[in-house]
């Protein structure tokens, strides 16, 4: 089994002391943070709720799978062994755009904002749309139950080109 690398950006800009109702003791709390970049699903924070998610691959074949809240879409594709060619080549380290997915506009509008590294990688993606995201950066949430995501029909997997060259 391949190991996954998880890159976390923990840049914080300010610290505040927050008191919770009924508490006399203030708790430190960061006001601003940069989302972490990680393909490894967050096992600790997951409630274990199952949602149905539909994936449409490059050939137009639809696969419907039940997924656990807190998993990234990259992890879902890998764990469920979905038929999506070349998906997740960098294993979620934000070094490629092979987990490029296209979302419905209503879903895309609700997703967490992109970090700069994801934007940079999407600039390299084939078949880019205004609702494109990287599957390694999208974590399944309860409200996503029933959503459909599409894999772009165009892909550029350099591994296949290198293998083709080495067999000649």
């Amino acid at each position: 089994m391949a190991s996954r690398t998880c890159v976390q950006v923990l840049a914080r800009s300010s610290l505040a002391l927050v008191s919770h109702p009924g508490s006399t003791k203030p708790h430190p709390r960061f006001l601003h943070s940069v989302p972490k970049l990680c393909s490894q699903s967050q096992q600790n924070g997951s409630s274990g709720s199952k949602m149905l998610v539909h994936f449409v691959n490059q050939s137009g074949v639809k696969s419907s799978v039940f997924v656990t809240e807190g998993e990234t879409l990259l992890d879902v594709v890998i764990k469920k062994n979905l038929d999506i060619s070349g998906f997740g080549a960098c294993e979620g380290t934000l070094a490629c755009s092979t987990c490029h997915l296209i979302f419905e506009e209503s879903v895309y509008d609700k997703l967490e904002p992109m970090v700069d590294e994801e934007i940079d990688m999407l600039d390299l993606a084939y078949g880019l749309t205004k609702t494109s995201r990287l599957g390694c950066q999208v974590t399944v949430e309860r409200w996503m139950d029933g959503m459909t995501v599409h894999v772009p029909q165009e892909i550029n997997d350099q591994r296949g080109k290198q293998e083709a060259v080495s067999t000649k």
Side-chain angles (χ1 to χ4, degrees), residues 9-142:
V9 176
L10 299 174
R12 309 259 192 227
S13 61
S14 60
L15 177 68
L17 294 177
V18 179
S19 292
H20 297 287
S23 173
T24 58
K25 192 175 186 183
H27 299 283
R29 180 171 180 167
F30 293 103
L31 296 179
H32 302 285
S33 66
V34 177
K36 67 179 173 178
L37 313 176
C38 182
S39 74
Q40 186 89 14
S41 295
Q42 299 172 11
Q43 300 299 327
N44 297 338
S46 175
S47 69
S49 297
K50 296 282 188 178
M51 279 73 59
L52 183 63
V53 175
H54 310 282
F55 291 85
V56 179
N57 72 10
Q58 297 96 329
S59 303
V61 175
K62 185 177 184 178
S63 299
S64 299
V65 294
F66 283 97
V67 302
T68 304
E69 184 178 7
E71 291 182 296
T72 66
L73 293 176
L74 170 63
D75 288 338
V76 170
V77 170
I78 292 169
K79 287 179 184 175
K80 301 292 184 176
N81 198 26
L82 299 181
D83 183 24
I84 300 176
S85 300
F87 199 82
C90 77
E91 297 182 341
T93 60
L94 276 175
C96 72
S97 59
T98 59
C99 64
H100 172 203
L101 294 170
I102 300 170
F103 291 82
E104 297 167 342
E105 194 166 345
S106 61
V107 172
Y108 178 85
D109 290 341
K110 296 177 186 177
L111 296 175
E112 292 291 322
M114 284 188 263
V115 295
D116 291 341
E117 292 84 353
E118 182 180 4
I119 294 168
D120 291 345
M121 285 297 108
L122 279 171
D123 285 343
L124 305 173
Y126 281 76
L128 190 65
T129 72
K130 67 179 187 170
T131 61
S132 291
R133 291 292 302 265
L134 296 181
C136 66
Q137 297 302 300
V138 178
T139 303
V140 176
E141 297 180 35
R142 188 169 285 136

